[in-house]
Amino acid sequence: MKKKISLFLMIFFAVLSFAQKTVSGKITDEDGVAIPSASVTVEEPGKDAILAYGITNSKGEYKVTFTSAESNVDLKVKAFNQRPLTKQISNSDQTLSFKMESEATEIKEVQLKTKMITSRGDTIAYDLKAFDSKSDRTLADVMKKIPGIEVNTDGTILYQGNAINKFYVNGKDLMEGGYGTINNSLPKDAVQKVEVLENHQPVKILQDKVPSDQAAINIKLKNSVTITGRGEVGTGFGDPWLWNVKLTPMFFGQKSQWVVNYKTNNMGEQVENEGNILAFGSGWEGRRINAAQNDWLSVETAGTPNTPVKRYLMNNVHYLSANYLTNIDKKKEWELKANANYTNNAVEREEYKETTYQNGSKIINSIRNNFYTDKIKGELIFTKNAKKGFFKNTTSFSQFWNGDRGYVEREGRIGKESVQSPTSSFQNSLSTIIPWKEKMVNFKSYISYQDDNQTLQVTPATYMQIPFKVSADSIGRINFAPGSIAEQRFRLKTLDTSHSANISFSTKGWTFTPQVGFDFSSDRLNTNFDGLAVQANPQDIQPDFNSPAYENNLRFTEINPNASLGVNYKSENWSLFANFPVNFNNIKADDDLRGVSKSLNKTTFTPNIFAQYTFASFWKASVNGNISNNFGDIQTAYAGYMLLSPTGFNVMDPKNPIPQTTTSSGGARIEYRNPLNNLFFNVNYSLSDSKRNLLGAPILDPSTGFTLMQYKDQENHSKNNRLSVEVGKYFPKFKTNASVSYGNTTSISDAFLSDPIEGDVEFKNKNNAQTYGFKFNNTYFSWMSLDYNMSLSRTKQDSRGGSLGTYKGYNHNLAVFFYPIENHTIGFNWDQVNTVNGLNKYNNPFYDVSYQFTWAKKKIDFELKWMNIANRRVFETYNLDGQFGSTTYTRIQLRPSQVMFTVKFNFK
């Protein structure tokens, strides 16, 4: 690994080793009048490759910065109605001014052509028409084909491998990070350009003061006032009857915007996550979260296969959302946003699993699940984002009424399991920046309160064969009363607050921000287990579930006064931001009846730094590093037995100290993006070391025989390093976009296992994963378009001094569309998922075909689609578990073959 680090650093510094040079000056005509908008490019002699470029301003002034190993370079100047000129210059800093000779240009024919990719400053604009195909209908369809941009399966948009921080439509942030709805439903015909705003600082008062390393997306519509949207209505043939309805009208105006979205289906399409926050903006805007439940209790759960979700999801979902934005003042500085969504979803899942351990023992079980989601969320946001001030207050409320069911057959036993999970969640985030003379004052406040209730029931309780110490020298089983029900109740109330104030001083590109803050969080845990155990034999001991040992009344508090100094620098080529915080951590956990009384007082210094250098117009190089601390949470402190799942009771030793984890990480990145030749690539390397003070060493509780989670007071480490490379290029002559990627991740962690034969064994778990990716799409032929995505993976696991084997995976998706006659489309889709481990090999192919007729005059599509033609009903795979030394064969239920007829249309 050291060789990889050295090689990467050699490449990194080799790129920077050539001194950067700058050529500047003025371009005029023969009369000395300045020529604006003239292009100035620097090229290596004899090579058709542009090193850097610039455009003259209204005064005819230009400035071009480049890096080259050549002793001389060519400088070329072009302007309308002027004779182009070329001059070979030395590779050095210099000032050169030119007078251009007039030359009338005879225009025989005028053709207006929009460039596919254009760049101006930190904005790169993509003409959507250059990348779409006849089969594309929405923004998301085309976005996946744009060089430099990638769309993950969860809807997250990446630019050059990093997530964007904002998603605008005509410059307005209607969705506040939950942009999946617009991306999936905005018709491509309404879009003029997709703009990437590099190094985007969304808070206007901080622009040119506090830099950002993230990019944003702005969707520029053809019209300033647009009424549009997308709709689909489909029905299917099968058992049960299938349906798919999508209705998403949209309005985008200069003063207000709104989107209403209703989607429902039972044919395996996952739509309920469209409202998830995918972009979180700047930390100066306050804090936003995707509210989620604290799920401690669970039924036994069937797994999900490594296939597209539509192949296995047995669902019945209704998702309704509404988003509204309006300006509430004449200057259009203040915005009011109201967002709300409701989800009702029922999911079925089924799995057969056979696990074999190194000692030859085998466990076979099958699981059938029903998962029910009932959730509502509302959000109200007031924002002022102006050059002279910033204010943002976000209030959100979420309510869950979820429930899970499990029907399990394990070693001849049958159990019915259920979890009811109502949760209430409330957050309010406030951030304001007030200009004060030449300074800025920022106040931030965040309050979050959440109340989680969960109840786990197992019927009959005798299904659970939980080991228990029935006598002084014998481990038996808990003998639950026949026909009785086991019930675990859980309640967790969480209060989380954070308040801070800072003042910023700016001078000569530097901004210094001293800050003081106070964080407080409190968790209150109450649990109780109800069950009835009876003696199987008169001499046997059985647990007394009425004792305090099966309850918890735990309070876990964290108090963190803190102070920090932020340092930011912004220049034409450099961006630097760093923070140097000192935290005074005070943590307490108390539950008197169960003997929990522990505390920790520790001062920590957790700096982080990021530096980026932009050079030669197309290159960026950056380094980053940070230190962070974690001191565990309430899940590491409870000492009363809890039935977290029907597989057994869990408990922590009350004598365990508070865990402390210090993570040090660093990384480097080189990025190249050239809109002139449509080439984008990035190279990343990162490494991290998590140092923990405790090493897990579970034992059998001497009093019960249950597993007691203890920790050894021993320093241990978990180390990770990752190298990734991605190269993408668009070939306009062939209308082809292609990209390749490679990733290599190695993780090594210390582990401990109490073996009945070998005794206490300390060892290392080592995983090495390599991934290869290839993407290709082509629209060259008028009668065909093609999209192909492929990934290869290879994972090697080593544990306890030996190799556990190598796991290999291969996935691809091929989508081909033929256009034999105008307005007629024939589609073919092929998903292939293969897994290999030793002699075990599983191939899982899926095929779809479709026919679509387009009523061009009305812009309506009629589609008939046959999915999973081969009617593959199960997914098979084979996995290794390095920690427990086991192999697992898994068979998961898939969706059967189905046929859908769908009518698709735009609202306007």
Side-chain angles (χ1 to χ4, degrees), residues 31 46 72 141 211 242 368 397 415 422 486 568 573 657 719 756 884 886:
D31 299 324
N72 297 300
D141 293 336
L242 303 174
R368 294 203 304 271
F397 173 79
N568 297 276
N573 299 106
K719 299 180 180 181
F884 298 101
S886 64

Side-chain angles (χ1 to χ4, degrees), residues 9-174:
L9 293 176
M10 287 173 62
I11 296 172
F12 181 80
F13 288 111
V15 173
L16 298 180
S17 62
F18 300 118
Q20 185 173 341
K21 303 299 187 295
T22 299
V23 180
S24 60
K26 187 174 183 179
I27 308 297
T28 63
D29 61 16
E30 293 173 307
D31 299 324
V33 177
I35 300 177
S37 301
S39 67
V40 182
T41 60
V42 176
E43 303 177 12
E44 291 187 347
K47 298 181 181 179
D48 186 20
I50 297 175
L51 296 174
Y53 71 98
I55 304 293
T56 58
N57 60 20
S58 60
K59 298 179 181 180
E61 299 169 336
Y62 75 93
K63 183 179 181 181
V64 180
T65 302
F66 66 95
T67 300
S68 175
E70 301 291 335
S71 59
N72 297 300
V73 295
D74 288 341
L75 187 143
K76 298 181 179 180
V77 184
K78 295 181 181 180
F80 186 69
N81 276 341
Q82 305 293 329
R83 178 177 297 175
L85 62 86
T86 300
K87 182 178 178 62
Q88 190 168 93
I89 64 174
S90 62
N91 185 353
S92 61
D93 293 326
Q94 53 195 298
T95 300
L96 296 173
S97 297
F98 299 95
K99 283 189 177 183
M100 302 188 73
E101 298 179 10
S102 298
E103 181 179 78
T105 303
E106 182 181 353
I107 303 176
K108 296 181 180 180
E109 181 181 2
V110 176
Q111 286 185 328
L112 298 178
K113 291 186 177 180
T114 303
K115 291 184 178 180
M116 295 175 299
I117 307 176
T118 58
S119 176
R120 187 171 185 177
D122 281 339
T123 300
I124 296 178
Y126 300 84
D127 178 22
L128 214 63
K129 285 187 176 180
F131 304 98
D132 72 344
S133 65
K134 293 181 181 179
S135 61
D136 295 333
R137 291 294 181 268
T138 67
L139 174 63
D141 293 336
V142 188
M143 190 82 77
K144 300 173 184 177
K145 302 174 182 178
I146 295 177
I149 294 178
E150 185 179 355
V151 182
N152 283 343
T153 53
D154 66 353
T156 304
I157 297 175
L158 308 180
Y159 174 68
Q160 287 284 63
N162 292 328
I164 62 173
N165 64 358
K166 285 288 182 178
F167 183 95
Y168 301 104
V169 178
N170 281 352
K172 292 184 179 293
D173 183 17
L174 166 65

Side-chain angles (χ1 to χ4, degrees), residues 116-118 123-128 131 139-153 155-164 166-167 179 183 191 193-198 215-219 669 671-674 678-682 726-730 737-741 775-777 787 789:
M116 295 175 299
I117 307 176
T118 58
T123 300
I124 296 178
Y126 300 84
D127 178 22
L128 214 63
F131 304 98
L139 174 63
D141 293 336
V142 188
M143 190 82 77
K144 300 173 184 177
K145 302 174 182 178
I146 295 177
I149 294 178
E150 185 179 355
V151 182
N152 283 343
T153 53
T156 304
I157 297 175
L158 308 180
Y159 174 68
Q160 287 284 63
N162 292 328
I164 62 173
K166 285 288 182 178
F167 183 95
Y179 53 76
N183 196 35
V191 180
K193 290 183 178 181
V194 173
E195 296 178 332
V196 175
L197 314 177
E198 296 186 320
I217 295 286
N218 179 47
I219 307 303
R669 173 182 174 89
E671 178 183 330
Y672 177 85
R673 67 277 183 274
N674 188 343
N678 311 308
L679 177 63
F680 296 77
F681 74 79
N682 60 81
E726 183 179 19
V727 182
K729 180 172 174 59
Y730 183 75
N737 184 38
S739 69
V740 294
S741 61
K775 296 183 180 181
F776 175 88
N777 62 73
D787 290 281
N789 297 322

